[in-house]
Each structure stands twice: as structure tokens, then as C-alpha cells.
Amino acid sequence: MSTAPSTSPTSGSAPAGGPPPDEAPEAAPAPAPKPRGPWAPLRPLVLRLHFYAGLLVAPFLLVAALTGFLYATSFQAEKLVYAHELTVPVGDTKLPISEQVDAARKAHPEGTVSAVRPSPEDDASTRVMLSGVKGVDATHTLAVFVDPYTGKVRGALEQYGSTGALPLRTWISEFHRNLHLGENGRLYSEFAASWLWVIAGGGVVLWFSRRRALRKVRGTSGRRRTLGLHGTVGVWAAVGFFFLSATGLTWSTYAGANIDELRTSLGQATPSVSAVASGGEHAGHDAASAAGGDGEHGVGLDEILAAARAKGLGDPVEIVPPADATSAYVVRQVQRSWPEKQDSVAVDPATGEVTDTVRFADYPLLAKLTRWGIDLHTGVLFGLVNQIALMLLALALILLIVWGYRMWWQRGRGNAFGRPIPRGAWAQVPPYVLVPLMAAVAVLGYFVPLLGIPLAGFLVADVVLGEIAHRRRTA
């Protein structure tokens, strides 16, 4: 990816004033070869789009890169900061899950039990999630951490999301996603993701359309060296940027909704287990009581968990109590590291029988790819290696933005600072290339509105400004 243009004959003639001192010893680069074929006129168009998109979108990308870098480090930081709540001394025998929930409810009787995550490892605590707790965000839960061997409550922390993010990671995650500005703030991240792949693709096209001799870094100085570093790092990181852009859009506000609609129309939506119980209203009341922790009605949490285990649901799992009087318990695996464990079952609270099962192996292909893509994007699929890779990508994007603006600075001379790429490149593109290209951009802009709307606005403003400049020259 690159955020500023490469030097080429299509970018206009050299401004007056001569080279600055830091570029005086550098010999003038040999002109890039003129590409041949019907696609040749597209290079100036790509250059202009790459220049302006990089110039205007780079601030949003910089914020996304910085916050993404922080988020990639938050997993390890969370383990250190909340070690007391997350880990316990290894004991001999774990208590029944119902007793652990009872201990949590005695310490925190407020709210209602919304989910339970039994201790997945020998040294891990059990989480009992409470919803409707005063002072806790309505979209969050209060996680009560219980020692599975002694029943002692080790603390309680606000938790968010299916990955169980605690306060530190939640704060960084929301900063990355919406800058703590709510739903409207999500538009910044969607805007950045919508344009990242366009700028990255433009940079790759421009880099490979240059002569090999003009791509080198060694032995160059000034703007040539900045361009070489910018292009080389951008090309190596481009695949990662394409991936981050595509996966980031899958859960964005507008493009994400369009993607979900498309997947549904293709029969590729993520399946969910049916939580309708067969025991009727009485079963639901029993389930609610069991979830509250008194264990006097229904088959109880221990039998519910045992039924899920019998269906092959190994740790880590989450038990979700019935939503109403006609619903069943849902037990689902919550492991998002490789290999994924996302099987789920519904268990009748009256009989303890499994009424429905959904296996991750039976997910449609696009549902699997979406799950893997999101988990890879958030750094959980391959653990520490995944997180380090994300940090390197974020660092590469930050460097590219800095180099891009530096090239913009180095490109100007006197009052021609940061001179723009000349207009009119599109007029040189043959109609049989331009028309299909415009149609493809229109369709893409419809599905990715934060790409299409700003692009249309830029084109309108560019045409108007060009016409104004033309009339001034003729006058």
C-alpha cells in the first residue's frame, strides 16, 4: 500500500526553482517507459487517484493503524493486568458448575445470569456473566470470576463481546472501532477500510509499472530513496492490507450489512442452533430458576453441561440460560484459535435432552471464511504469532503514511508545494475500457457506500474546479 504517488512522466513537468540541496547530487532518473496496450492510459488515472486518496484518507488510516497496533498488544497486556482474576492455583477437584454459580450469586446478587463459562483449563477461573447490573453498560456484562476448586470469588470486571474482552481490551477495541463516539464513530473505521484496498492496489500497480532500475532503494537519496522505501514496503505489505480491508468491512455498518444480505441470498449465512424447548412453559420457569443458581427446579446446570459434553462439546464452552419460558439452554464452544471450536447444542431444561445441534464443520463455506477472517483480523486465530503479524502490518502502514507525506513535501518547490497530479487522465482512456470500468466502480460503490459516495463527490468537485480553472485561463 502506498499513500502518495510515485514519480513518473505522467505526473507533470518539473516545477521551477531547481532541486533542493538534499537532492542536488542525485542524477535525474531515467524516464519510465511508456506502457503499451489498451491499459496504458490507465496509469495516469491510477496515479491521480492514488495521490489524492492517499493524501485525504491517510489521517483516518493512521488512526486505524495506531489503534490497531494497540489492540494487537492488548491480549498479552490483559493477561498481565488481570492475572489475579483470570488464573487460580491448581487444586484437586473442581466443584460442580452449579455450586460455582451459587458462589458468584451470593457475592453479586444483582442482575441476572446471562451466561456461564466454566473453567477451560486447570489454572483458569470460571466466569459467571451478569446482565442488567446497575452501573454497567447495557451492552456489556459483569463477569464474576470464581475459583473452580474452592468456590471463592476472585473479583468482578466489566466484560464485552464474544471474546470476553475485559476493561483494558474493551477500551482499546472501542477506540479502534469507533473512537469512543458510538455508532456514528464507526463510520471512520469503515471509511478507512473502504479505501485501504484501493490505495494499496493503486500503489502496487504504480510500483510494478515502473522500470526495475527505478524501484531500487540502495544507492539513492532524497525523494528517490523515500519513494523506494515507500514502494518496497508497500508491495510487501499489500496482501496484508487487502486482507485487513476485506475483513474489516465484513462487520462494518453499511458495507457489512450489504455483505450479510448477499451471503443470506446465496444461502451462506451463519447457521444458529434452534433454542425452542420441547418442555413448554413449565420447563422455561425451571430453567430460569436453575440459571439463578438455586438448583431446585429443572435438571440443573450440571446436567445441561453433561448433555453438551456427551455431544462432543469440549472446552472452552459457554452456557446461555433460556431467554424465556419456551426456550432451551444453549451450550456453545467459544474457541476461536486454530482449530476453531464453534459447535453448539440446545438442551431442553426439563429433560436434559439435546434438541438441536449445529456443527462448525457443517457451516457454509462463506460462513467459515467470515469466521476465520474476523478471528485472524482480531488476532485470536493464531495467538501470539497472529498478534505480532498484525503489529508489523500496523507499523508498516504507519511508515508508509509518513513516507507518503514526506514525498509530498519533497515533491513541491517554493509556491508549488505538494503540486497535484494534472487533470484529464481519464480522457485518454479508450471508451471500451472506460465504460466497463465506470460500471464496475458504480456497482462497487453501491455495495461499499463509504467508497462510492466520497469518490463521486471527489469527481464532481474535480470536474467543477477543472472547469473553473479552464475558464480563467481562456479569460
Side-chain angles (χ1 to χ4, degrees), residues 407-445:
M407 280 193 297
W408 184 41
W409 178 279
Q410 291 171 326
R411 189 169 185 269
R413 305 290 191 274
N415 60 6
F417 165 70
R419 57 190 176 85
I421 305 299
R423 296 184 182 90
W426 63 272
Q428 306 300 320
V429 181
Y432 62 87
V433 174
L434 184 62
V435 172
L437 182 63
M438 292 177 63
V441 170
V443 172
L444 185 62

Side-chain angles (χ1 to χ4, degrees), residues 5 10 42-54 206 420-426 458-459 462-463 465-466:
T10 60
L42 281 178
R43 190 182 190 281
L45 190 62
V46 173
L47 181 61
R48 183 165 170 79
L49 175 64
H50 182 71
F51 175 79
Y52 277 110
L206 293 173
I421 305 299
R423 296 184 182 90
W426 63 272
F458 168 76
L459 292 176
D462 196 47
V463 169
L465 292 175

